[in-house]
Amino acid sequence: MPSMPTVSSSGSFYRPSLPSQISNKSSSQENSQSTESGSQTVLTETSSEQDLFSALLEDSSTLTASDISDLYDSGLFTTMSSLTGGSLSSTNLLQKTLTNLNTLKEEQKDLSLDKKEDLLNKQEDAQTFKSREPSILRFKINGYNITDSLTKVFFSDPEADGSFLLTGDRRYYVNQLPRTETFYMVFRTVSSSGSAVSYKVQPTVVQDSKNENSFVYKLGNAKNLTAEKTGNLVVMHFAEGDLKVEMLLDIDKK
């Protein structure tokens, strides 16, 4: 289960984990022809909108899966529609969702003591019904097992039509140096019939240093991604050029 945020004497509600601070659950080696060191954050090319840059680069911080999970545990949001005013029709749904999540993250730093206590009470209440544990059962890119390098995964609650947000933090190695990245994937329902749902998938990836040879970076630049849900399982298969992706999710696990 995600760790609960704590109230500190300094007045900060919680200290978000930056990509460079994510613990190393497991690691992988991915060579890079051009890997830059430093504190810069790089987004994949498919998400170059200036507003998204501004939202994700606030004070050189990255909106990680751990941050989003903390916001969820705080009771500040549940679904994407709770962040977007109930609308899922925007063509920039991922951008709008991440921008509003970043706003919530920043607002937490300035909460009054009363509001912090109210949120802590909501957190305690939330633990009584958090039995849903969606998970990534398989995630391979070009035959490589990405799940081994994931340090944190978060699923939003599904919308009434089945749409949801998946995000994950990843730690791996390039030339013996640790690298981190966070991916965001909106699964937007385009059609449904009973327990069968078809999704259009919109991805983007944020990296601590640019590595175009990262498997997940390549996924973040992929277009026309789709997925299918049958029962509680979501399957995504994608093969184009030198990129082959396999993903299997269990989104309704109890």
Side-chain angles (χ1 to χ4, degrees):
M1 296 291 291
S3 59
M4 290 178 59
T6 58
V7 177
S8 67
S9 58
S10 64
S12 297
F13 185 47
Y14 76 95
R15 182 179 299 278
S17 300
L18 301 182
S20 59
Q21 298 171 328
I22 300 171
S23 61
N24 182 14
K25 219 168 76 171
S26 62
S27 62
S28 62
Q29 180 76 26
E30 294 179 34
N31 293 326
S32 171
Q33 296 176 349
S34 59
T35 301
E36 305 168 10
S37 60
S39 60
Q40 75 175 103
T41 303
V42 181
L43 286 95
T44 45
E45 295 175 1
T46 53
S47 299
S48 59
E49 298 94 339
Q50 187 61 41
D51 288 345
L52 186 53
F53 269 102
S54 299
L56 296 176
L57 302 182
E58 184 76 22
D59 297 327
S60 298
S61 173
T62 297
L63 185 66
T64 67
S66 294
D67 292 334
I68 297 174
S69 180
D70 284 338
L71 291 171
Y72 177 89
D73 288 346
S74 299
L76 293 178
F77 86 102
T78 54
T79 61
M80 287 186 294
S81 61
S82 65
L83 294 165
T84 60
S87 174
L88 298 178
S89 60
S90 171
T91 56
N92 295 321
L93 178 60
L94 179 56
Q95 175 185 346
K96 189 172 183 180
T97 299
L98 296 181
T99 298
N100 289 337
L101 282 169
N102 189 78
T103 298
L104 287 179
K105 175 183 168 183
E106 293 303 308
E107 287 177 349
Q108 278 197 343
K109 299 176 182 178
D110 300 319
L111 289 177
S112 67
L113 182 60
D114 289 342
K115 290 184 177 180
K116 290 176 183 177
E117 291 177 347
D118 288 343
L119 284 178
L120 287 174
N121 290 334
K122 288 183 180 179
Q123 293 167 29
E124 293 175 358
D125 293 341
Q127 301 308 311
T128 63
F129 60 81
K130 285 191 63 179
S131 60
R132 177 177 168 270
E133 296 178 356
S135 61
I136 299 178
L137 302 180
R138 184 187 308 126
F139 187 11
K140 292 185 177 182
I141 301 179
N142 293 353
Y144 185 85
N145 189 3
I146 300 298
T147 54
D148 287 343
S149 57
L150 297 179
T151 59
K152 183 70 177 182
V153 174
F154 173 78
F155 290 79
S156 70
D157 289 351
E159 303 289 340
D161 69 353
S163 300
F164 64 95
L165 170 69
L166 165 63
T167 182
D169 297 328
R170 182 175 183 240
R171 182 183 177 94
Y172 65 105
Y173 281 81
V174 173
N175 299 328
Q176 308 305 318
L177 296 175
R179 292 287 180 257
T180 57
E181 55 192 7
T182 296
F183 65 85
Y184 315 88
M185 302 175 71
V186 165
F187 287 72
R188 180 191 288 181
T189 297
V190 293
S191 65
S192 62
S193 177
S195 62
V197 180
S198 295
Y199 298 101
K200 178 178 180 180
V201 184
Q202 182 183 359
T204 193
V205 177
V206 179
Q207 298 181 312
D208 62 340
S209 295
K210 189 173 185 178
N211 177 12
E212 295 181 353
N213 288 335
S214 157
F215 300 115
V216 176
Y217 184 92
K218 293 178 183 293
L219 173 62
N221 282 306
K223 299 179 180 179
N224 302 318
L225 293 174
T226 61
E228 300 290 332
K229 176 179 180 288
T230 302
N232 62 312
L233 299 177
V234 175
V235 179
M236 183 175 74
H237 287 293
F238 179 82
E240 186 174 288
D242 61 352
L243 182 64
K244 182 178 180 181
V245 181
E246 300 175 56
M247 177 176 275
L248 178 63
L249 310 175
D250 182 351
I251 65 170
D252 293 324
K253 186 177 179 181
K254 298 295 185 181

